[in-house]
Amino acid sequence: RSNNLWLGSENKGVFIYRKQADSTYTIENFNTKNGLPSNQIQHIIINKNHIWLTTKNSGILKLNYDFENNSITSILRFNKSNGLKDTQITTTTFHDNKIWYTTKNGALGYIENNSVVQYANILKQQSPITALAFTKSNVFLGTQGKGLWKVSTDNLNSSPTRIDRTNLASQNIRQLLIDDNNLWVGTDRGLDKLNLQNNTIVKSTHYNANDGFTNVETSSVAIKDSQNTLWFGTNSGITKYIPTENKVNIT
């Protein structure tokens, strides 16, 4: 909102690049020396008047932020002392006015109105949940080694359904992204595009190094920007997806 760029780092906190009138940037570092409880930042979510920081082992931070004056007014920390039962957060996302999170121990939860709701062991097994994505009626959960699952958002206590492994190049899920009727699944062996019709997979397409990936092993980050461009993180940089029309070669 203020033309600032927020970057989370592995062990040096948050860096804020602020754009100036002459198009130059000033750089600020927010870390444990000036108010941050942890320097290990995994995810950043910016919405309305708040900025959410997901740390590696110190829970989730809610920053009340003054966008007019570019200043943090207060910090609310969610950890085991105020409802967050598991601080080993693997990923977070904003959906339906809630901050949703998953954990290394297989839990799914959300924060709403400063209260924490958690569904422990939602997959009925102790598997790290590494990615999540929402459709209108389901939440898809990617795991480390146990593939892809879906659960109805109307009943998160219901039994989960595992997606047929033949639709995926690997059962090690790193990232999930919804784009129209497609669910993009990043793994350690490339990218799978699952075409959904009424939450049923009707087609699966695999992308690997032959399709432009410099490294088929994806990372934890995948985003759709304001121009509807898809960006997928890999262990060797970022891949930009440019859709093209499929044509049949006639000889």
Side-chain angles (χ1 to χ4, degrees):
R1 286 173 48 181
S2 305
N3 289 320
N4 298 326
L5 176 63
W6 290 64
L7 301 176
S9 70
E10 286 190 349
N11 55 22
K12 292 187 178 181
V14 175
F15 292 89
I16 308 170
Y17 285 63
R18 302 195 188 279
K19 190 174 184 178
Q20 305 302 306
D22 59 357
S23 295
T24 61
Y25 286 86
T26 61
I27 305 174
E28 297 178 18
N29 184 209
F30 186 43
N31 52 46
T32 53
K33 295 180 180 179
N34 54 11
L36 203 62
S38 173
N39 282 333
Q40 298 175 307
I41 307 300
Q42 297 191 113
H43 295 95
I44 301 175
I45 297 174
I46 301 176
N47 67 298
K48 295 182 179 179
N49 296 319
H50 303 116
I51 295 176
W52 298 81
L53 306 180
T54 304
T55 68
K56 187 174 182 180
N57 292 306
S58 301
I60 299 173
L61 309 177
K62 178 183 180 182
L63 311 184
N64 289 314
Y65 193 76
D66 184 347
F67 285 91
E68 297 298 326
N69 297 307
N70 286 319
S71 62
I72 299 169
T73 58
S74 64
I75 301 175
L76 179 59
R77 183 177 179 182
F78 293 91
N79 52 25
K80 291 184 178 181
S81 66
N82 60 352
L84 196 64
K85 300 177 182 179
D86 188 350
T87 58
Q88 296 187 77
I89 308 298
T90 50
T91 189
T92 50
T93 190
F94 184 73
H95 174 74
D96 194 26
N97 293 317
K98 304 178 181 70
I99 296 294
W100 292 81
Y101 67 88
T102 58
T103 76
K104 187 177 181 180
N105 294 314
L108 170 71
Y110 63 84
I111 301 173
E112 183 181 29
N113 297 325
N114 294 337
S115 295
V116 180
V117 176
Q118 182 165 301
Y119 300 86
N121 199 16
I122 189 170
L123 298 180
K124 318 303 180 188
Q125 56 183 317
Q126 291 295 325
S127 300
I129 301 176
T130 51
L132 77 163
F134 287 88
T135 62
K136 291 183 178 179
S137 55
N138 286 291
V139 54
F140 286 87
L141 302 169
T143 68
Q144 179 64 36
K146 299 295 184 179
L148 180 64
W149 302 72
K150 70 175 181 179
V151 182
S152 170
T153 52
D154 292 331
N155 185 8
L156 292 174
N157 288 313
S158 61
S159 297
T161 301
R162 187 171 184 175
I163 304 302
D164 190 338
R165 65 174 57 239
T166 60
N167 291 299
L168 303 169
S170 171
Q171 298 298 290
N172 295 314
I173 312 300
R174 302 290 174 79
Q175 57 185 221
L176 295 175
L177 180 65
I178 294 290
D179 173 44
D180 297 326
N181 291 323
N182 297 315
L183 173 64
W184 295 84
V185 184
T187 73
D188 59 344
R189 296 182 181 177
L191 190 67
D192 295 302
K193 181 174 75 171
L194 309 183
N195 183 245
L196 304 175
Q197 299 293 337
N198 298 320
N199 289 302
T200 299
I201 299 171
V202 296
K203 183 181 179 181
S204 175
T205 306
H206 180 65
Y207 298 88
N208 55 29
N210 295 326
D211 305 294
F213 273 82
T214 55
N215 186 325
V216 296
E217 188 170 353
T218 59
S219 67
S220 63
V221 178
I223 64 169
K224 179 178 180 179
D225 67 20
S226 57
Q227 282 76 45
N228 295 320
T229 301
L230 306 183
W231 301 83
F232 301 98
T234 76
N235 282 3
S236 295
I238 301 174
T239 295
K240 176 183 179 181
Y241 174 73
I242 304 174
T244 57
E245 180 182 357
N246 291 327
K247 297 181 180 180
V248 178
N249 291 327
I250 300 176
T251 57

Coordinates of all heavy atoms in Angstrom, one line a residue, residues 67-130:
F67 N 0.2 2.7 8.1 CA 0.6 2.8 6.8 C 0.9 4.2 6.4 O 1.6 4.5 5.4 CB -0.4 2.1 5.8 CG -0.3 0.6 5.8 CD1 -1.1 -0.1 6.7 CD2 0.5 -0.1 5.0 CE1 -1.1 -1.5 6.7 CE2 0.6 -1.5 5.0 CZ -0.2 -2.2 5.9
E68 N 0.2 5.2 7.1 CA 0.4 6.6 6.7 C 1.8 7.1 7.2 O 2.5 7.8 6.5 CB -0.6 7.4 7.4 CG -2.1 7.1 6.9 CD -2.2 7.4 5.4 OE1 -1.6 8.3 4.9 OE2 -3.0 6.6 4.7
N69 N 2.2 6.6 8.4 CA 3.5 7.1 8.9 C 4.6 6.0 8.8 O 5.7 6.2 9.3 CB 3.3 7.5 10.4 CG 2.4 8.7 10.5 OD1 2.6 9.7 9.8 ND2 1.3 8.6 11.3
N70 N 4.2 4.9 8.2 CA 5.2 3.8 8.1 C 5.9 3.4 9.4 O 7.1 3.4 9.5 CB 6.3 4.2 7.0 CG 5.8 4.1 5.6 OD1 5.0 3.2 5.2 ND2 6.2 5.1 4.8
S71 N 5.0 3.0 10.3 CA 5.5 2.7 11.7 C 4.7 1.6 12.3 O 3.5 1.4 12.1 CB 5.6 3.9 12.6 OG 4.2 4.4 12.8
I72 N 5.4 0.7 13.1 CA 4.8 -0.3 13.8 C 4.3 0.2 15.2 O 5.1 0.8 15.9 CB 5.7 -1.5 14.0 CG1 6.2 -2.1 12.7 CG2 5.1 -2.6 14.9 CD1 7.3 -3.0 12.8
T73 N 3.0 0.1 15.4 CA 2.5 0.7 16.7 C 2.4 -0.3 17.8 O 2.6 0.1 19.0 CB 1.0 1.2 16.4 OG1 0.2 0.2 15.9 CG2 1.1 2.4 15.4
S74 N 2.3 -1.6 17.5 CA 2.3 -2.6 18.6 C 2.5 -4.0 17.9 O 2.3 -4.2 16.7 CB 1.0 -2.6 19.4 OG -0.1 -2.9 18.6
I75 N 2.9 -5.0 18.8 CA 3.1 -6.3 18.3 C 2.3 -7.3 19.2 O 2.4 -7.2 20.5 CB 4.6 -6.7 18.3 CG1 5.4 -5.7 17.4 CG2 4.8 -8.1 17.9 CD1 6.9 -6.0 17.5
L76 N 1.5 -8.2 18.6 CA 0.8 -9.2 19.4 C 1.4 -10.5 18.9 O 1.4 -10.9 17.8 CB -0.7 -9.2 19.1 CG -1.5 -10.3 19.8 CD1 -1.4 -10.2 21.3 CD2 -3.0 -10.1 19.4
R77 N 1.9 -11.3 19.9 CA 2.6 -12.6 19.6 C 1.6 -13.7 20.0 O 1.1 -13.8 21.1 CB 3.8 -12.7 20.4 CG 4.7 -13.9 20.2 CD 6.0 -13.9 21.0 NE 6.8 -15.1 20.8 CZ 7.9 -15.3 21.4 NH1 8.4 -14.4 22.3 NH2 8.6 -16.4 21.2
F78 N 1.5 -14.6 19.0 CA 0.7 -15.8 19.2 C 1.6 -17.0 19.4 O 2.4 -17.4 18.4 CB -0.3 -16.1 18.0 CG -1.3 -15.0 17.9 CD1 -1.1 -13.9 17.1 CD2 -2.5 -15.2 18.6 CE1 -2.1 -13.0 17.0 CE2 -3.5 -14.2 18.5 CZ -3.3 -13.1 17.7
N79 N 1.6 -17.6 20.6 CA 2.4 -18.8 20.9 C 1.7 -19.7 21.8 O 0.5 -19.6 22.0 CB 3.8 -18.3 21.4 CG 3.7 -17.4 22.6 OD1 2.7 -17.4 23.3 ND2 4.7 -16.6 22.8
K80 N 2.4 -20.5 22.5 CA 1.7 -21.5 23.4 C 1.0 -20.8 24.6 O 0.2 -21.4 25.2 CB 2.7 -22.6 23.9 CG 3.2 -23.5 22.8 CD 4.1 -24.6 23.3 CE 4.5 -25.5 22.2 NZ 5.4 -26.6 22.7
S81 N 1.4 -19.6 24.9 CA 0.8 -19.0 26.1 C -0.5 -18.4 25.8 O -1.3 -18.0 26.7 CB 1.8 -17.9 26.6 OG 1.9 -16.8 25.6
N82 N -0.9 -18.2 24.5 CA -2.2 -17.6 24.2 C -2.9 -18.4 23.1 O -3.6 -17.8 22.3 CB -2.1 -16.2 23.8 CG -1.2 -15.9 22.6 OD1 -0.6 -16.8 22.1 ND2 -1.2 -14.7 22.1
G83 N -2.8 -19.7 23.1 CA -3.7 -20.5 22.3 C -3.0 -21.3 21.1 O -3.6 -22.2 20.6
L84 N -1.8 -20.9 20.7 CA -1.1 -21.6 19.6 C -0.4 -22.8 20.2 O 0.6 -22.7 20.9 CB -0.1 -20.6 19.0 CG 0.4 -21.0 17.6 CD1 -0.7 -21.1 16.6 CD2 1.5 -20.1 17.2
K85 N -1.0 -24.0 20.0 CA -0.6 -25.2 20.6 C 0.7 -25.7 20.0 O 1.5 -26.5 20.7 CB -1.6 -26.3 20.5 CG -2.9 -25.9 21.2 CD -4.0 -26.9 21.0 CE -5.3 -26.5 21.7 NZ -6.4 -27.5 21.5
D86 N 1.0 -25.3 18.8 CA 2.2 -25.8 18.1 C 2.9 -24.6 17.5 O 2.3 -24.0 16.6 CB 1.9 -26.9 17.1 CG 3.1 -27.6 16.5 OD1 4.2 -27.1 16.7 OD2 2.9 -28.6 15.8
T87 N 4.1 -24.3 17.8 CA 4.8 -23.2 17.3 C 5.7 -23.5 16.1 O 6.4 -22.7 15.5 CB 5.7 -22.5 18.3 OG1 6.6 -23.4 18.9 CG2 4.8 -21.9 19.4
Q88 N 5.8 -24.8 15.7 CA 6.5 -25.2 14.5 C 5.7 -25.0 13.3 O 5.2 -26.0 12.7 CB 7.0 -26.7 14.7 CG 8.0 -26.8 15.9 CD 8.6 -28.2 15.9 OE1 9.5 -28.6 15.1 NE2 8.0 -29.1 16.8
I89 N 5.5 -23.8 12.9 CA 4.6 -23.4 11.8 C 5.4 -23.7 10.5 O 6.5 -23.4 10.3 CB 4.2 -22.0 11.8 CG1 3.6 -21.6 13.2 CG2 3.2 -21.6 10.7 CD1 2.4 -22.4 13.6
T90 N 4.7 -24.4 9.5 CA 5.3 -24.7 8.2 C 4.8 -23.7 7.2 O 5.6 -23.4 6.3 CB 4.9 -26.1 7.8 OG1 3.5 -26.3 7.9 CG2 5.6 -27.1 8.7
T91 N 3.6 -23.2 7.2 CA 3.1 -22.3 6.2 C 1.9 -21.5 6.7 O 1.2 -22.0 7.6 CB 2.8 -22.9 4.8 OG1 2.6 -21.9 3.8 CG2 1.6 -23.8 5.0
T92 N 1.7 -20.3 6.2 CA 0.5 -19.5 6.5 C -0.1 -18.9 5.3 O 0.6 -18.7 4.3 CB 0.9 -18.4 7.5 OG1 2.0 -17.7 7.0 CG2 1.2 -18.9 8.9
T93 N -1.4 -18.6 5.3 CA -2.1 -18.0 4.2 C -3.3 -17.2 4.8 O -3.8 -17.5 5.9 CB -2.5 -19.0 3.2 OG1 -3.0 -18.3 2.0 CG2 -3.7 -19.9 3.7
F94 N -3.8 -16.2 4.0 CA -4.9 -15.4 4.4 C -6.1 -15.9 3.6 O -6.1 -15.8 2.4 CB -4.7 -13.9 4.2 CG -5.8 -13.0 4.7 CD1 -6.0 -12.8 6.0 CD2 -6.6 -12.4 3.8 CE1 -7.0 -12.0 6.5 CE2 -7.6 -11.6 4.2 CZ -7.8 -11.4 5.5
H95 N -7.2 -16.3 4.3 CA -8.4 -16.7 3.6 C -9.6 -16.5 4.5 O -9.6 -16.8 5.7 CB -8.3 -18.2 3.3 CG -9.6 -18.8 2.7 ND1 -10.0 -18.6 1.4 CD2 -10.5 -19.6 3.3 CE1 -11.1 -19.2 1.2 NE2 -11.5 -19.8 2.3
D96 N -10.7 -15.9 3.9 CA -11.9 -15.7 4.6 C -11.7 -14.9 5.9 O -12.3 -15.3 7.0 CB -12.6 -17.1 4.9 CG -14.1 -17.0 5.4 OD1 -14.7 -16.0 5.0 OD2 -14.5 -17.9 6.1
N97 N -10.9 -13.9 5.8 CA -10.6 -13.0 6.9 C -10.0 -13.7 8.1 O -10.1 -13.3 9.3 CB -11.9 -12.3 7.4 CG -12.4 -11.3 6.4 OD1 -11.7 -10.6 5.7 ND2 -13.7 -11.3 6.1
K98 N -9.3 -14.8 7.8 CA -8.6 -15.5 8.9 C -7.1 -15.8 8.4 O -6.9 -15.9 7.2 CB -9.2 -16.9 9.2 CG -10.7 -16.8 9.6 CD -11.2 -18.2 9.8 CE -12.7 -18.3 10.2 NZ -13.6 -17.9 9.0
I99 N -6.2 -15.8 9.4 CA -4.9 -16.3 9.1 C -4.8 -17.8 9.4 O -4.9 -18.2 10.5 CB -3.8 -15.5 10.0 CG1 -3.8 -14.1 9.7 CG2 -2.4 -16.1 9.8 CD1 -3.3 -13.7 8.3
W100 N -4.7 -18.6 8.3 CA -4.6 -20.0 8.5 C -3.1 -20.5 8.5 O -2.3 -19.9 7.9 CB -5.3 -20.7 7.3 CG -6.8 -20.5 7.2 CD1 -7.4 -19.4 6.7 CD2 -7.8 -21.4 7.7 NE1 -8.8 -19.5 6.9 CE2 -9.0 -20.8 7.5 CE3 -7.7 -22.7 8.3 CZ2 -10.2 -21.4 7.8 CZ3 -8.9 -23.3 8.6 CH2 -10.2 -22.6 8.4
Y101 N -2.9 -21.5 9.3 CA -1.5 -22.0 9.4 C -1.5 -23.6 9.5 O -2.5 -24.2 9.8 CB -0.8 -21.5 10.7 CG -1.5 -21.9 12.0 CD1 -1.0 -23.1 12.6 CD2 -2.5 -21.2 12.6 CE1 -1.6 -23.5 13.8 CE2 -3.1 -21.6 13.8 CZ -2.6 -22.8 14.4 OH -3.2 -23.2 15.5
T102 N -0.4 -24.1 9.1 CA -0.2 -25.6 9.3 C 1.1 -25.8 10.0 O 1.9 -24.9 10.2 CB -0.1 -26.3 7.9 OG1 1.0 -25.7 7.1 CG2 -1.4 -26.1 7.1
T103 N 1.3 -27.0 10.6 CA 2.4 -27.2 11.4 C 3.2 -28.5 11.0 O 2.7 -29.3 10.2 CB 2.0 -27.4 12.9 OG1 1.4 -28.7 13.1 CG2 1.0 -26.3 13.3
K104 N 4.4 -28.6 11.6 CA 5.2 -29.7 11.3 C 4.7 -31.0 11.9 O 4.9 -32.1 11.4 CB 6.6 -29.5 11.9 CG 7.7 -30.5 11.6 CD 9.0 -30.1 12.2 CE 10.1 -31.1 11.9 NZ 11.4 -30.8 12.5
N105 N 3.8 -30.9 12.9 CA 3.2 -32.1 13.5 C 1.8 -32.4 13.0 O 1.1 -33.2 13.5 CB 3.1 -31.8 15.0 CG 4.4 -31.7 15.7 OD1 5.3 -32.5 15.5 ND2 4.6 -30.7 16.6
G106 N 1.5 -31.8 11.8 CA 0.2 -32.2 11.1 C -1.0 -31.5 11.6 O -2.1 -32.1 11.4
A107 N -0.9 -30.4 12.1 CA -2.1 -29.6 12.6 C -2.5 -28.5 11.6 O -1.6 -28.0 10.8 CB -1.9 -29.0 13.9
L108 N -3.8 -28.2 11.5 CA -4.3 -27.1 10.8 C -5.0 -26.1 11.7 O -5.8 -26.6 12.6 CB -5.3 -27.5 9.7 CG -6.1 -26.5 8.9 CD1 -5.2 -25.7 8.0 CD2 -7.2 -27.1 8.1
G109 N -4.8 -24.8 11.6 CA -5.5 -23.9 12.5 C -5.7 -22.6 11.9 O -5.2 -22.3 10.8
Y110 N -6.3 -21.7 12.6 CA -6.5 -20.3 12.1 C -6.6 -19.3 13.3 O -6.9 -19.7 14.4 CB -7.7 -20.1 11.2 CG -9.0 -20.4 11.8 CD1 -9.7 -19.4 12.5 CD2 -9.7 -21.6 11.7 CE1 -11.0 -19.6 13.1 CE2 -10.9 -21.9 12.2 CZ -11.6 -20.8 12.9 OH -12.8 -21.1 13.5
I111 N -6.3 -18.1 13.0 CA -6.4 -17.0 14.0 C -7.5 -16.0 13.4 O -7.4 -15.5 12.3 CB -5.1 -16.2 14.1 CG1 -4.0 -17.2 14.6 CG2 -5.2 -15.1 15.1 CD1 -2.6 -16.6 14.7
E112 N -8.4 -15.7 14.3 CA -9.5 -14.8 13.9 C -9.9 -14.0 15.2 O -10.1 -14.6 16.2 CB -10.8 -15.6 13.4 CG -11.9 -14.7 13.0 CD -13.1 -15.4 12.5 OE1 -13.3 -16.6 13.0 OE2 -13.9 -14.9 11.7
N113 N -9.9 -12.7 15.0 CA -10.3 -11.8 16.2 C -9.4 -12.1 17.4 O -9.8 -12.1 18.5 CB -11.7 -11.9 16.5 CG -12.7 -11.5 15.4 OD1 -12.3 -10.6 14.7 ND2 -13.8 -12.2 15.3
N114 N -8.1 -12.3 17.1 CA -7.1 -12.6 18.1 C -7.3 -13.9 18.9 O -6.8 -14.0 20.0 CB -7.0 -11.4 19.1 CG -6.5 -10.1 18.4 OD1 -5.8 -10.2 17.4 ND2 -6.8 -9.0 19.0
S115 N -8.1 -14.8 18.4 CA -8.4 -16.1 19.0 C -7.9 -17.2 18.1 O -8.0 -17.1 16.9 CB -9.8 -16.3 19.3 OG -10.3 -15.4 20.3
V116 N -7.3 -18.2 18.7 CA -6.7 -19.3 17.9 C -7.7 -20.5 17.9 O -8.1 -20.9 19.0 CB -5.4 -19.7 18.5 CG1 -4.8 -20.9 17.6 CG2 -4.4 -18.5 18.5
V117 N -7.9 -21.1 16.8 CA -8.7 -22.4 16.7 C -7.8 -23.4 15.9 O -7.2 -23.0 14.9 CB -10.0 -22.2 15.9 CG1 -10.7 -23.5 15.7 CG2 -10.9 -21.2 16.6
Q118 N -7.6 -24.5 16.5 CA -6.7 -25.5 15.9 C -7.3 -26.9 15.8 O -8.0 -27.3 16.7 CB -5.4 -25.6 16.7 CG -4.4 -26.6 16.1 CD -3.0 -26.5 16.7 OE1 -2.4 -25.4 16.7 NE2 -2.5 -27.5 17.3
Y119 N -7.1 -27.5 14.6 CA -7.5 -28.9 14.4 C -6.3 -29.8 14.4 O -5.5 -29.8 13.4 CB -8.2 -29.0 13.0 CG -9.5 -28.1 12.9 CD1 -9.4 -26.8 12.5 CD2 -10.7 -28.6 13.3 CE1 -10.5 -26.0 12.5 CE2 -11.9 -27.8 13.2 CZ -11.7 -26.5 12.8 OH -12.8 -25.7 12.7
A120 N -6.1 -30.4 15.5 CA -4.8 -31.2 15.7 C -5.0 -32.5 14.9 O -6.0 -33.1 14.8 CB -4.6 -31.5 17.1
N121 N -3.9 -32.9 14.2 CA -3.8 -34.1 13.5 C -5.0 -34.3 12.6 O -5.7 -35.3 12.5 CB -3.8 -35.3 14.5 CG -3.3 -36.6 13.9 OD1 -2.7 -36.6 12.8 ND2 -3.5 -37.7 14.5
I122 N -5.2 -33.3 11.7 CA -6.4 -33.3 10.8 C -6.3 -34.4 9.8 O -7.3 -34.9 9.4 CB -6.5 -31.9 10.1 CG1 -7.8 -31.8 9.4 CG2 -5.3 -31.7 9.2 CD1 -8.1 -30.4 8.9
L123 N -5.1 -34.9 9.5 CA -5.0 -36.0 8.5 C -5.0 -37.3 9.1 O -4.8 -38.4 8.5 CB -3.7 -35.8 7.7 CG -3.6 -34.5 6.8 CD1 -2.3 -34.4 6.1 CD2 -4.8 -34.4 5.9
K124 N -5.2 -37.4 10.5 CA -5.2 -38.6 11.2 C -3.9 -39.4 11.2 O -3.8 -40.6 11.4 CB -6.3 -39.6 10.7 CG -7.6 -38.9 10.4 CD -8.2 -38.2 11.5 CE -9.6 -37.5 11.1 NZ -10.1 -36.6 12.1
Q125 N -2.8 -38.6 11.0 CA -1.4 -39.2 11.0 C -0.4 -38.1 11.3 O -0.7 -36.9 10.9 CB -1.1 -39.9 9.7 CG -1.3 -39.0 8.5 CD -1.0 -39.7 7.2 OE1 -0.1 -40.5 7.1 NE2 -1.8 -39.5 6.2
Q126 N 0.7 -38.4 11.9 CA 1.7 -37.4 12.2 C 2.6 -37.1 11.0 O 3.7 -37.7 10.9 CB 2.5 -37.9 13.4 CG 1.7 -37.9 14.7 CD 1.3 -36.6 15.2 OE1 2.0 -35.6 15.0 NE2 0.1 -36.5 15.8
S127 N 2.1 -36.3 10.1 CA 2.8 -36.0 8.9 C 2.9 -34.5 8.8 O 1.9 -33.8 9.0 CB 2.2 -36.5 7.6 OG 2.1 -37.9 7.7
P128 N 4.1 -33.9 8.5 CA 4.2 -32.5 8.4 C 3.3 -32.0 7.2 O 3.4 -32.5 6.1 CB 5.7 -32.3 8.1 CG 6.4 -33.5 8.6 CD 5.4 -34.6 8.4
I129 N 2.5 -31.0 7.5 CA 1.8 -30.3 6.4 C 2.6 -29.2 5.9 O 2.9 -28.2 6.7 CB 0.4 -29.9 6.9 CG1 -0.4 -31.1 7.4 CG2 -0.4 -29.2 5.8 CD1 -1.8 -30.7 8.0
T130 N 2.9 -29.2 4.6 CA 3.9 -28.2 4.1 C 3.3 -27.1 3.2 O 3.9 -26.1 2.9 CB 5.0 -29.0 3.3 OG1 4.3 -29.8 2.3 CG2 5.8 -29.8 4.2

